[in-house]
mmCIF file of all heavy atoms in Angstrom:
data_model
loop_
_atom_site.group_PDB
_atom_site.id
_atom_site.type_symbol
_atom_site.label_atom_id
_atom_site.label_comp_id
_atom_site.label_asym_id
_atom_site.label_seq_id
_atom_site.Cartn_x
_atom_site.Cartn_y
_atom_site.Cartn_z
ATOM 1 N N GLU A 1 -48.701 177.178 335.130
ATOM 2 C CA GLU A 1 -48.947 178.273 336.064
ATOM 3 C C GLU A 1 -50.349 178.188 336.652
ATOM 4 O O GLU A 1 -50.550 178.429 337.843
ATOM 5 C CB GLU A 1 -48.758 179.613 335.355
ATOM 6 C CG GLU A 1 -48.941 180.815 336.279
ATOM 7 C CD GLU A 1 -48.667 182.131 335.590
ATOM 8 O OE1 GLU A 1 -48.208 182.114 334.420
ATOM 9 O OE2 GLU A 1 -48.908 183.190 336.209
ATOM 10 N N ARG A 2 -51.331 177.823 335.830
ATOM 11 C CA ARG A 2 -52.719 177.768 336.291
ATOM 12 C C ARG A 2 -53.025 176.510 337.102
ATOM 13 O O ARG A 2 -53.657 176.567 338.157
ATOM 14 C CB ARG A 2 -53.658 177.855 335.093
ATOM 15 C CG ARG A 2 -55.132 177.612 335.412
ATOM 16 C CD ARG A 2 -55.728 178.715 336.303
ATOM 17 N NE ARG A 2 -57.084 178.398 336.704
ATOM 18 C CZ ARG A 2 -58.173 178.692 335.980
ATOM 19 N NH1 ARG A 2 -58.032 179.320 334.816
ATOM 20 N NH2 ARG A 2 -59.358 178.382 336.422
ATOM 21 N N PHE A 3 -52.557 175.358 336.613
ATOM 22 C CA PHE A 3 -52.964 174.092 337.222
ATOM 23 C C PHE A 3 -51.847 173.347 337.945
ATOM 24 O O PHE A 3 -52.124 172.418 338.701
ATOM 25 C CB PHE A 3 -53.551 173.170 336.147
ATOM 26 C CG PHE A 3 -54.770 173.736 335.473
ATOM 27 C CD1 PHE A 3 -54.695 174.199 334.163
ATOM 28 C CD2 PHE A 3 -55.983 173.818 336.140
ATOM 29 C CE1 PHE A 3 -55.811 174.709 333.530
ATOM 30 C CE2 PHE A 3 -57.109 174.336 335.512
ATOM 31 C CZ PHE A 3 -57.026 174.782 334.213
ATOM 32 N N GLY A 4 -50.581 173.708 337.666
ATOM 33 C CA GLY A 4 -49.471 173.095 338.375
ATOM 34 C C GLY A 4 -49.048 171.724 337.867
ATOM 35 O O GLY A 4 -48.085 171.141 338.374
ATOM 36 N N ARG A 5 -49.732 171.210 336.856
ATOM 37 C CA ARG A 5 -49.410 169.878 336.351
ATOM 38 C C ARG A 5 -50.024 169.686 334.965
ATOM 39 O O ARG A 5 -50.989 170.347 334.602
ATOM 40 C CB ARG A 5 -49.932 168.799 337.308
ATOM 41 C CG ARG A 5 -51.438 168.879 337.495
ATOM 42 C CD ARG A 5 -51.919 167.981 338.632
ATOM 43 N NE ARG A 5 -51.848 166.554 338.272
ATOM 44 C CZ ARG A 5 -52.042 165.569 339.131
ATOM 45 N NH1 ARG A 5 -52.282 165.848 340.411
ATOM 46 N NH2 ARG A 5 -51.979 164.307 338.744
ATOM 47 N N ILE A 6 -49.443 168.750 334.217
ATOM 48 C CA ILE A 6 -50.006 168.338 332.928
ATOM 49 C C ILE A 6 -49.963 166.817 332.900
ATOM 50 O O ILE A 6 -48.883 166.214 332.923
ATOM 51 C CB ILE A 6 -49.223 168.905 331.729
ATOM 52 C CG1 ILE A 6 -49.240 170.433 331.744
ATOM 53 C CG2 ILE A 6 -49.826 168.386 330.413
ATOM 54 C CD1 ILE A 6 -48.286 171.059 330.723
ATOM 55 N N ASP A 7 -51.115 166.199 332.891
ATOM 56 C CA ASP A 7 -51.195 164.744 332.913
ATOM 57 C C ASP A 7 -51.454 164.150 331.540
ATOM 58 O O ASP A 7 -51.061 163.010 331.268
ATOM 59 C CB ASP A 7 -52.318 164.305 333.866
ATOM 60 C CG ASP A 7 -52.073 164.787 335.285
ATOM 61 O OD1 ASP A 7 -51.316 164.115 336.011
ATOM 62 O OD2 ASP A 7 -52.618 165.847 335.656
ATOM 63 N N ALA A 8 -52.148 164.905 330.691
ATOM 64 C CA ALA A 8 -52.480 164.382 329.368
ATOM 65 C C ALA A 8 -52.468 165.511 328.349
ATOM 66 O O ALA A 8 -52.786 166.658 328.662
ATOM 67 C CB ALA A 8 -53.844 163.699 329.381
ATOM 68 N N LEU A 9 -52.097 165.154 327.138
ATOM 69 C CA LEU A 9 -52.140 166.068 325.994
ATOM 70 C C LEU A 9 -52.916 165.388 324.887
ATOM 71 O O LEU A 9 -52.618 164.241 324.521
ATOM 72 C CB LEU A 9 -50.723 166.385 325.505
ATOM 73 C CG LEU A 9 -50.621 167.051 324.120
ATOM 74 C CD1 LEU A 9 -51.177 168.477 324.156
ATOM 75 C CD2 LEU A 9 -49.178 167.034 323.626
ATOM 76 N N LEU A 10 -53.906 166.081 324.355
ATOM 77 C CA LEU A 10 -54.660 165.585 323.216
ATOM 78 C C LEU A 10 -54.351 166.468 322.019
ATOM 79 O O LEU A 10 -54.708 167.646 321.998
ATOM 80 C CB LEU A 10 -56.172 165.610 323.500
ATOM 81 C CG LEU A 10 -56.640 165.047 324.843
ATOM 82 C CD1 LEU A 10 -58.164 165.062 324.904
ATOM 83 C CD2 LEU A 10 -56.087 163.652 325.081
ATOM 84 N N ASN A 11 -53.698 165.904 321.030
ATOM 85 C CA ASN A 11 -53.346 166.642 319.813
ATOM 86 C C ASN A 11 -54.486 166.500 318.809
ATOM 87 O O ASN A 11 -54.459 165.641 317.920
ATOM 88 C CB ASN A 11 -52.032 166.118 319.235
ATOM 89 C CG ASN A 11 -50.836 166.571 320.034
ATOM 90 O OD1 ASN A 11 -50.694 167.754 320.356
ATOM 91 N ND2 ASN A 11 -49.969 165.636 320.385
ATOM 92 N N VAL A 12 -55.491 167.363 318.964
ATOM 93 C CA VAL A 12 -56.678 167.307 318.119
ATOM 94 C C VAL A 12 -56.593 168.292 316.966
ATOM 95 O O VAL A 12 -57.154 168.065 315.898
ATOM 96 C CB VAL A 12 -57.957 167.578 318.949
ATOM 97 C CG1 VAL A 12 -59.209 167.467 318.093
ATOM 98 C CG2 VAL A 12 -58.029 166.617 320.136
ATOM 99 N N ALA A 13 -55.899 169.398 317.155
ATOM 100 C CA ALA A 13 -55.813 170.436 316.119
ATOM 101 C C ALA A 13 -55.322 169.843 314.809
ATOM 102 O O ALA A 13 -54.372 169.067 314.776
ATOM 103 C CB ALA A 13 -54.885 171.553 316.573
ATOM 104 N N GLY A 14 -55.980 170.189 313.716
ATOM 105 C CA GLY A 14 -55.584 169.702 312.408
ATOM 106 C C GLY A 14 -56.782 169.627 311.483
ATOM 107 O O GLY A 14 -57.881 170.062 311.819
ATOM 108 N N GLY A 15 -56.577 169.073 310.301
ATOM 109 C CA GLY A 15 -57.670 168.950 309.359
ATOM 110 C C GLY A 15 -57.176 168.639 307.969
ATOM 111 O O GLY A 15 -55.972 168.587 307.704
ATOM 112 N N SER A 16 -58.128 168.424 307.071
ATOM 113 C CA SER A 16 -57.774 168.131 305.686
ATOM 114 C C SER A 16 -57.329 169.394 304.965
ATOM 115 O O SER A 16 -56.533 169.366 304.064
ATOM 116 C CB SER A 16 -58.957 167.499 304.948
ATOM 117 O OG SER A 16 -60.091 168.342 305.027
ATOM 118 N N TYR A 17 -57.914 170.470 305.333
ATOM 119 C CA TYR A 17 -57.409 171.797 305.025
ATOM 120 C C TYR A 17 -58.045 172.682 306.070
ATOM 121 O O TYR A 17 -59.035 172.307 306.691
ATOM 122 C CB TYR A 17 -57.754 172.253 303.604
ATOM 123 C CG TYR A 17 -59.227 172.311 303.281
ATOM 124 C CD1 TYR A 17 -59.904 173.520 303.261
ATOM 125 C CD2 TYR A 17 -59.937 171.161 302.985
ATOM 126 C CE1 TYR A 17 -61.252 173.576 302.952
ATOM 127 C CE2 TYR A 17 -61.277 171.212 302.668
ATOM 128 C CZ TYR A 17 -61.934 172.427 302.653
ATOM 129 O OH TYR A 17 -63.252 172.476 302.348
ATOM 130 N N SER A 18 -57.456 173.812 306.330
ATOM 131 C CA SER A 18 -57.886 174.548 307.512
ATOM 132 C C SER A 18 -59.333 175.005 307.408
ATOM 133 O O SER A 18 -59.730 175.666 306.460
ATOM 134 C CB SER A 18 -56.975 175.764 307.733
ATOM 135 O OG SER A 18 -57.358 176.424 308.915
ATOM 136 N N ARG A 19 -60.137 174.657 308.423
ATOM 137 C CA ARG A 19 -61.491 175.174 308.548
ATOM 138 C C ARG A 19 -61.489 176.494 309.315
ATOM 139 O O ARG A 19 -62.526 177.058 309.589
ATOM 140 C CB ARG A 19 -62.376 174.170 309.294
ATOM 141 C CG ARG A 19 -62.410 172.803 308.645
ATOM 142 C CD ARG A 19 -63.270 171.860 309.464
ATOM 143 N NE ARG A 19 -63.134 170.496 308.969
ATOM 144 C CZ ARG A 19 -63.720 169.442 309.503
ATOM 145 N NH1 ARG A 19 -64.496 169.591 310.554
ATOM 146 N NH2 ARG A 19 -63.552 168.244 309.003
ATOM 147 N N ASN A 20 -60.322 176.931 309.678
ATOM 148 C CA ASN A 20 -60.172 178.059 310.573
ATOM 149 C C ASN A 20 -59.397 179.164 309.858
ATOM 150 O O ASN A 20 -58.238 178.962 309.483
ATOM 151 C CB ASN A 20 -59.419 177.591 311.828
ATOM 152 C CG ASN A 20 -59.377 178.654 312.896
ATOM 153 O OD1 ASN A 20 -59.394 179.835 312.617
ATOM 154 N ND2 ASN A 20 -59.304 178.223 314.146
ATOM 155 N N PRO A 21 -59.983 180.333 309.656
ATOM 156 C CA PRO A 21 -59.295 181.392 308.918
ATOM 157 C C PRO A 21 -58.039 181.905 309.603
ATOM 158 O O PRO A 21 -57.222 182.579 308.968
ATOM 159 C CB PRO A 21 -60.359 182.501 308.813
ATOM 160 C CG PRO A 21 -61.309 182.231 309.932
ATOM 161 C CD PRO A 21 -61.336 180.744 310.086
ATOM 162 N N GLU A 22 -57.861 181.578 310.893
ATOM 163 C CA GLU A 22 -56.673 182.036 311.597
ATOM 164 C C GLU A 22 -55.536 181.015 311.553
ATOM 165 O O GLU A 22 -54.456 181.269 312.070
ATOM 166 C CB GLU A 22 -57.023 182.379 313.046
ATOM 167 C CG GLU A 22 -57.982 183.555 313.160
ATOM 168 C CD GLU A 22 -58.070 184.098 314.572
ATOM 169 O OE1 GLU A 22 -57.071 184.006 315.306
ATOM 170 O OE2 GLU A 22 -59.133 184.611 314.940
ATOM 171 N N MET A 23 -55.782 179.867 310.969
ATOM 172 C CA MET A 23 -54.727 178.871 310.807
ATOM 173 C C MET A 23 -54.207 178.929 309.364
ATOM 174 O O MET A 23 -54.871 179.477 308.487
ATOM 175 C CB MET A 23 -55.259 177.477 311.128
ATOM 176 C CG MET A 23 -55.567 177.263 312.604
ATOM 177 S SD MET A 23 -54.073 177.313 313.622
ATOM 178 C CE MET A 23 -53.349 175.715 313.202
ATOM 179 N N PRO A 24 -53.023 178.350 309.107
ATOM 180 C CA PRO A 24 -52.474 178.406 307.752
ATOM 181 C C PRO A 24 -53.456 177.852 306.723
ATOM 182 O O PRO A 24 -54.030 176.782 306.911
ATOM 183 C CB PRO A 24 -51.218 177.520 307.852
ATOM 184 C CG PRO A 24 -50.842 177.575 309.291
ATOM 185 C CD PRO A 24 -52.133 177.669 310.052
ATOM 186 N N ALA A 25 -53.671 178.588 305.653
ATOM 187 C CA ALA A 25 -54.623 178.182 304.623
ATOM 188 C C ALA A 25 -53.905 177.359 303.563
ATOM 189 O O ALA A 25 -52.874 177.770 303.025
ATOM 190 C CB ALA A 25 -55.274 179.406 303.995
ATOM 191 N N VAL A 26 -54.439 176.179 303.276
ATOM 192 C CA VAL A 26 -53.885 175.341 302.216
ATOM 193 C C VAL A 26 -55.019 174.880 301.323
ATOM 194 O O VAL A 26 -56.170 174.819 301.731
ATOM 195 C CB VAL A 26 -53.138 174.115 302.786
ATOM 196 C CG1 VAL A 26 -51.936 174.547 303.596
ATOM 197 C CG2 VAL A 26 -54.068 173.269 303.653
ATOM 198 N N GLN A 27 -54.673 174.568 300.098
ATOM 199 C CA GLN A 27 -55.662 174.112 299.122
ATOM 200 C C GLN A 27 -55.588 172.591 298.961
ATOM 201 O O GLN A 27 -54.519 172.005 299.084
ATOM 202 C CB GLN A 27 -55.417 174.782 297.769
ATOM 203 C CG GLN A 27 -55.512 176.296 297.816
ATOM 204 C CD GLN A 27 -56.900 176.763 298.197
ATOM 205 O OE1 GLN A 27 -57.901 176.257 297.700
ATOM 206 N NE2 GLN A 27 -56.958 177.743 299.090
ATOM 207 N N ARG A 28 -56.729 171.974 298.680
ATOM 208 C CA ARG A 28 -56.748 170.555 298.377
ATOM 209 C C ARG A 28 -56.710 170.360 296.859
ATOM 210 O O ARG A 28 -57.128 171.239 296.104
ATOM 211 C CB ARG A 28 -58.014 169.896 298.938
ATOM 212 C CG ARG A 28 -58.044 169.885 300.444
ATOM 213 C CD ARG A 28 -59.054 168.895 300.973
ATOM 214 N NE ARG A 28 -60.423 169.193 300.590
ATOM 215 C CZ ARG A 28 -61.479 168.516 301.045
ATOM 216 N NH1 ARG A 28 -61.305 167.511 301.886
ATOM 217 N NH2 ARG A 28 -62.695 168.839 300.657
ATOM 218 N N GLY A 29 -56.246 169.207 296.438
ATOM 219 C CA GLY A 29 -56.227 168.903 295.023
ATOM 220 C C GLY A 29 -55.560 167.565 294.787
ATOM 221 O O GLY A 29 -55.060 166.922 295.710
ATOM 222 N N THR A 30 -55.549 167.127 293.531
ATOM 223 C CA THR A 30 -54.810 165.919 293.194
ATOM 224 C C THR A 30 -53.322 166.211 293.312
ATOM 225 O O THR A 30 -52.893 167.366 293.395
ATOM 226 C CB THR A 30 -55.130 165.465 291.764
ATOM 227 O OG1 THR A 30 -54.613 166.446 290.847
ATOM 228 C CG2 THR A 30 -56.638 165.316 291.555
ATOM 229 N N LEU A 31 -52.519 165.160 293.304
ATOM 230 C CA LEU A 31 -51.080 165.348 293.471
ATOM 231 C C LEU A 31 -50.490 166.235 292.378
ATOM 232 O O LEU A 31 -49.583 167.042 292.635
ATOM 233 C CB LEU A 31 -50.375 163.990 293.487
ATOM 234 C CG LEU A 31 -50.632 163.147 294.741
ATOM 235 C CD1 LEU A 31 -50.039 161.759 294.562
ATOM 236 C CD2 LEU A 31 -50.053 163.825 295.977
ATOM 237 N N LEU A 32 -50.997 166.132 291.153
ATOM 238 C CA LEU A 32 -50.473 166.967 290.075
ATOM 239 C C LEU A 32 -50.912 168.418 290.211
ATOM 240 O O LEU A 32 -50.264 169.318 289.676
ATOM 241 C CB LEU A 32 -50.915 166.419 288.710
ATOM 242 C CG LEU A 32 -50.252 165.115 288.267
ATOM 243 C CD1 LEU A 32 -50.809 164.667 286.919
ATOM 244 C CD2 LEU A 32 -48.733 165.276 288.193
ATOM 245 N N GLU A 33 -51.987 168.652 290.931
ATOM 246 C CA GLU A 33 -52.493 170.011 291.104
ATOM 247 C C GLU A 33 -51.877 170.726 292.296
ATOM 248 O O GLU A 33 -51.863 171.953 292.353
ATOM 249 C CB GLU A 33 -54.018 169.983 291.289
ATOM 250 C CG GLU A 33 -54.787 169.507 290.072
ATOM 251 C CD GLU A 33 -56.246 169.227 290.386
ATOM 252 O OE1 GLU A 33 -56.565 168.956 291.561
ATOM 253 O OE2 GLU A 33 -57.067 169.280 289.450
ATOM 254 N N LEU A 34 -51.354 169.971 293.248
ATOM 255 C CA LEU A 34 -50.873 170.570 294.490
ATOM 256 C C LEU A 34 -49.537 171.277 294.308
ATOM 257 O O LEU A 34 -48.619 170.739 293.678
ATOM 258 C CB LEU A 34 -50.711 169.503 295.565
ATOM 259 C CG LEU A 34 -51.980 168.976 296.239
ATOM 260 C CD1 LEU A 34 -51.632 167.804 297.140
ATOM 261 C CD2 LEU A 34 -52.663 170.086 297.039
ATOM 262 N N SER A 35 -49.436 172.453 294.888
ATOM 263 C CA SER A 35 -48.138 173.122 294.967
ATOM 264 C C SER A 35 -47.357 172.519 296.134
ATOM 265 O O SER A 35 -47.946 171.949 297.057
ATOM 266 C CB SER A 35 -48.325 174.619 295.204
ATOM 267 O OG SER A 35 -48.823 174.848 296.520
ATOM 268 N N PRO A 36 -46.040 172.632 296.121
ATOM 269 C CA PRO A 36 -45.264 172.144 297.270
ATOM 270 C C PRO A 36 -45.695 172.814 298.579
ATOM 271 O O PRO A 36 -45.707 172.170 299.635
ATOM 272 C CB PRO A 36 -43.821 172.528 296.902
ATOM 273 C CG PRO A 36 -43.818 172.585 295.418
ATOM 274 C CD PRO A 36 -45.171 173.119 295.036
ATOM 275 N N GLU A 37 -46.060 174.085 298.485
ATOM 276 C CA GLU A 37 -46.474 174.811 299.702
ATOM 277 C C GLU A 37 -47.769 174.233 300.258
ATOM 278 O O GLU A 37 -47.919 174.080 301.480
ATOM 279 C CB GLU A 37 -46.655 176.296 299.392
ATOM 280 C CG GLU A 37 -45.374 177.038 299.046
ATOM 281 C CD GLU A 37 -44.857 176.745 297.647
ATOM 282 O OE1 GLU A 37 -45.647 176.271 296.795
ATOM 283 O OE2 GLU A 37 -43.647 176.968 297.412
ATOM 284 N N ASP A 38 -48.721 173.904 299.387
ATOM 285 C CA ASP A 38 -49.970 173.327 299.864
ATOM 286 C C ASP A 38 -49.754 171.915 300.402
ATOM 287 O O ASP A 38 -50.355 171.530 301.408
ATOM 288 C CB ASP A 38 -51.013 173.308 298.745
ATOM 289 C CG ASP A 38 -51.578 174.682 298.457
ATOM 290 O OD1 ASP A 38 -51.666 175.488 299.393
ATOM 291 O OD2 ASP A 38 -51.923 174.956 297.293
ATOM 292 N N PHE A 39 -48.913 171.136 299.732
ATOM 293 C CA PHE A 39 -48.653 169.775 300.198
ATOM 294 C C PHE A 39 -48.035 169.788 301.589
ATOM 295 O O PHE A 39 -48.486 169.091 302.499
ATOM 296 C CB PHE A 39 -47.736 169.042 299.215
ATOM 297 C CG PHE A 39 -47.529 167.599 299.553
ATOM 298 C CD1 PHE A 39 -48.459 166.640 299.197
ATOM 299 C CD2 PHE A 39 -46.389 167.197 300.236
ATOM 300 C CE1 PHE A 39 -48.265 165.294 299.514
ATOM 301 C CE2 PHE A 39 -46.188 165.854 300.562
ATOM 302 C CZ PHE A 39 -47.129 164.909 300.200
ATOM 303 N N MET A 40 -46.999 170.603 301.773
ATOM 304 C CA MET A 40 -46.318 170.649 303.062
ATOM 305 C C MET A 40 -47.126 171.398 304.107
ATOM 306 O O MET A 40 -46.978 171.159 305.309
ATOM 307 C CB MET A 40 -44.934 171.289 302.909
ATOM 308 C CG MET A 40 -43.974 170.476 302.045
ATOM 309 S SD MET A 40 -43.852 168.727 302.545
ATOM 310 C CE MET A 40 -43.248 168.895 304.237
ATOM 311 N N GLY A 41 -48.005 172.305 303.656
ATOM 312 C CA GLY A 41 -48.838 173.034 304.604
ATOM 313 C C GLY A 41 -49.739 172.123 305.413
ATOM 314 O O GLY A 41 -50.007 172.369 306.595
ATOM 315 N N VAL A 42 -50.213 171.039 304.799
ATOM 316 C CA VAL A 42 -51.049 170.084 305.525
ATOM 317 C C VAL A 42 -50.232 169.377 306.605
ATOM 318 O O VAL A 42 -50.742 169.060 307.677
ATOM 319 C CB VAL A 42 -51.670 169.068 304.551
ATOM 320 C CG1 VAL A 42 -52.608 168.124 305.274
ATOM 321 C CG2 VAL A 42 -52.430 169.784 303.446
#
């Protein structure tokens, strides 16, 4: 609506765990420490 075209998309959003309180919060840990929710949350 604003520009009439999209020529490129940069998928930059992401991280090792969210640095942003408004994005889904996940915990880091070793594989034995991770819950399925934290693993899939990443």
Side-chain angles (χ1 to χ4, degrees):
E1 182 176 353
R2 172 66 186 273
F3 299 108
R5 59 190 288 171
I6 299 170
D7 300 277
L9 166 69
L10 313 184
N11 285 311
V12 182
S16 56
Y17 59 102
S18 183
R19 303 178 189 178
N20 188 331
E22 295 194 30
M23 290 294 286
V26 296
Q27 300 297 316
R28 293 197 298 186
T30 67
L31 290 172
L32 289 178
E33 294 168 336
L34 284 173
S35 70
E37 293 75 20
D38 286 329
F39 186 82
M40 295 309 300
V42 184

